[in-house]
Amino acid sequence: MLTVRRFKSTGALSILNKVIGEELKSIKSAGTWKSERIIKTQQSASIKVTTSDAPVLNFCANNYLGYANNQEVIDEAKRYLDERGAGLSSVRFICGTQVSY
């Protein structure tokens, strides 16, 4: 049975926590901290996020061709998952690559 040993180096950990805490505080006070938005809808030009009841314009999506919400693309992806699964169980150079790649 594998035994996991836990080391308690509270001195080093305390110093690390203090340094990281001070840096994060500095970033937040400078106004450069970025909190992640949680998107509740499909990606499109207008989205809904958890921090607002109103729709928000989404200028950062790489969906300029409109394929992210294209029903034909979604249906084909579902068909492919049913046929091939979610992917290989290892990297290509170990177990090979699938024909469709």
Side-chain angles (χ1 to χ4, degrees), residues 53-81:
D53 291 330
V56 176
L57 288 177
N58 184 19
F59 292 107
C60 58
N62 283 333
N63 189 24
Y64 50 88
L65 296 176
Y67 290 142
N69 302 323
N70 180 288
Q71 193 59 50
E72 190 176 342
V73 172
I74 293 168
D75 291 343
E76 185 63 20
K78 289 177 182 177
R79 185 196 65 73
Y80 187 83
L81 285 170

Side-chain angles (χ1 to χ4, degrees), residues 6-79:
R6 295 177 188 247
F7 297 96
K8 293 185 178 181
S9 177
T10 55
L13 186 57
S14 177
I15 293 169
L16 179 63
N17 282 334
K18 182 180 179 191
V19 170
I20 291 173
E22 289 172 358
E23 185 65 24
L24 291 174
K25 186 176 179 181
S26 171
I27 292 168
K28 289 176 182 178
S29 67
T32 54
W33 177 264
K34 182 189 179 299
S35 296
E36 294 295 322
R37 291 189 308 179
I38 307 300
I39 301 170
K40 301 189 304 184
T41 58
Q42 293 182 346
Q43 290 274 352
S44 64
S46 177
I47 57 174
K48 293 216 175 191
V49 295
T50 57
T51 56
S52 174
D53 291 330
V56 176
L57 288 177
N58 184 19
F59 292 107
C60 58
N62 283 333
N63 189 24
Y64 50 88
L65 296 176
Y67 290 142
N69 302 323
N70 180 288
Q71 193 59 50
E72 190 176 342
V73 172
I74 293 168
D75 291 343
E76 185 63 20
K78 289 177 182 177
R79 185 196 65 73

